Amino acid sequence: MATTNTDYGSSWNLNQTKTKTDTSTKTTKTADEQKLDTAVKGLGDNFEHFLKLLTTQMQNQDPLKPMDTNDMTKQLVDFANVEQNIGTNSRLDKLLKLQNASTNSTNLAYLGRTVTFEGDSFDYTQGMTAAPLAYELEKSAKSVRVDILDSKNRVVRSMTGETTAGTKHVVNWDFKDDGGNAVQPGQYRLNIAPVSEKKDDIIKATPFTFGTVSGIGSNKEGETVVSVGSVEVPLSKLSKVF
C-alpha cells in the first residue's frame, strides 16, 4: 500500500477505549527556582559571616586608629543590592508561576484529546480504524520504504512511500501485515528508510506519530508538556490536535 500526502486529520475516525486522564500538575521546582533558593541561602550565610567578621574587627580595632568606614559601607551597599536583585527575581518567579497556572488551566482542554507529534512509537488499540502516521523528508529521495515494526522490532508491514521533500506524507496503514492478516493490538513503531539519488548520501526523515493526552505538567525548564503514554511532549512539538 502506497503512502499519500493528503490531510490525515480530516478523515480520521477512531473508536478507542477512553483513557483515564490525570488532571494533576507537577510541582517539582524548576532549575531556576533551585538556583534562586541556593542564592538566597548563600546570601544569608555570607551576610552572617560578614557581620561576625565586622563585629570582631570593631571590637579589636585600635582606638587611636579606628578602621576606615568606607569599605564597610561599600560592602553593606553591595549586600543590599544583591538582596534586592534576588528579591526581584523571586517576585518575577511568582508572577511566572501565576501565569503558568493560568496557562495550565487552559491546557486542561488537551486532556483526553488525541494529538500528533514528532516521534515514531504508537499504540494500536482494538476498534481503531485509522492511524494518523506521517513523515517529512529533508530533501527529495530516489525511493522511500515505510516499515511498521512491532514491539519486538519485527517488520510486520512494508510499503512504498512518497519521495518529495517539503511536505508531510501520510502513511495509510490498514492494521494488516504483508500477508494481509490483521495484526494484534499493541505497541508499534514507524520506520522511514529513504534512498538518495547519490551514493552514500544520507537523507533525514522525520516521522510523526500520535497518542492520547493523559496528563499536563511542566518539565525541568518550566516548559508545558503533555503526557502521551510514557512520553512527555512539549506543546511546541505538537503538530495537530483532534
Side-chain angles (χ1 to χ4, degrees):
M1 179 182 293
T3 61
T4 62
N5 59 356
T6 57
D7 181 3
Y8 58 86
S10 59
S11 59
W12 183 32
N13 178 26
L14 295 181
N15 181 21
Q16 305 182 57
T17 302
K18 291 186 177 180
T19 304
K20 182 178 180 181
T21 57
D22 176 16
T23 58
S24 62
T25 57
K26 298 181 179 180
T27 57
T28 304
K29 288 189 176 182
T30 65
D32 289 338
E33 289 175 327
Q34 293 175 358
K35 289 179 181 179
L36 179 61
D37 290 342
T38 301
V40 172
K41 184 179 183 301
L43 178 65
D45 292 342
N46 290 334
F47 190 64
E48 183 177 351
H49 292 318
F50 171 71
L51 290 179
K52 288 181 179 179
L53 289 172
L54 178 62
T55 302
T56 302
Q57 186 176 7
M58 293 180 67
Q59 289 175 343
N60 294 279
Q61 67 179 332
D62 185 350
L64 300 178
K65 295 180 180 179
M67 61 180 291
D68 188 357
T69 59
N70 290 333
D71 289 339
M72 179 186 68
T73 302
K74 181 178 181 301
Q75 292 183 56
L76 286 173
V77 170
D78 289 341
F79 269 110
N81 288 336
V82 172
E83 184 180 18
Q84 288 179 356
N85 290 335
I86 292 177
T88 299
N89 290 338
S90 177
R91 288 187 286 273
L92 287 174
D93 284 342
K94 290 179 180 178
L95 287 174
L96 286 175
K97 277 189 173 182
L98 290 173
Q99 182 180 8
N100 288 337
S102 176
T103 302
N104 285 337
S105 297
T106 303
N107 291 335
L108 289 177
Y110 286 104
L111 287 174
R113 303 285 294 275
T114 300
V115 295
T116 59
F117 56 92
E118 184 178 322
D120 58 5
S121 297
F122 64 96
D123 290 322
Y124 162 49
T125 58
Q126 193 68 44
M128 190 180 292
T129 59
L133 303 171
Y135 67 91
E136 289 182 359
L137 297 177
E138 181 183 29
K139 48 189 174 182
S140 297
K142 178 180 179 181
S143 63
V144 175
R145 189 186 76 247
V146 178
D147 297 327
I148 304 294
L149 296 85
D150 63 14
S151 59
K152 296 182 180 180
N153 283 327
R154 298 175 301 194
V155 177
V156 297
R157 183 70 175 271
S158 287
M159 298 171 282
T160 301
E162 299 292 328
T163 59
T164 56
T167 186
K168 185 174 291 184
H169 300 290
V170 176
V171 177
N172 291 315
W173 182 41
D174 56 3
F175 309 110
K176 295 181 179 179
D177 60 20
D178 284 329
N181 304 307
V183 302
Q184 294 298 313
Q187 188 176 65
Y188 291 85
R189 187 166 65 85
L190 176 66
N191 179 63
I192 309 300
V195 176
S196 175
E197 294 279 0
K198 300 179 181 178
K199 186 178 180 181
D200 299 327
D201 188 18
I202 298 175
I203 299 177
K204 179 183 177 182
T206 302
F208 292 88
T209 186
F210 67 96
T212 302
V213 176
S214 60
I216 306 289
S218 300
N219 57 20
K220 292 188 294 184
E221 287 71 34
E223 184 178 6
T224 301
V225 296
V226 295
S227 297
V228 181
S230 60
V231 180
E232 288 188 343
V233 184
L235 289 184
S236 58
K237 293 294 184 179
L238 299 183
S239 59
K240 197 173 186 66
V241 180
F242 296 92

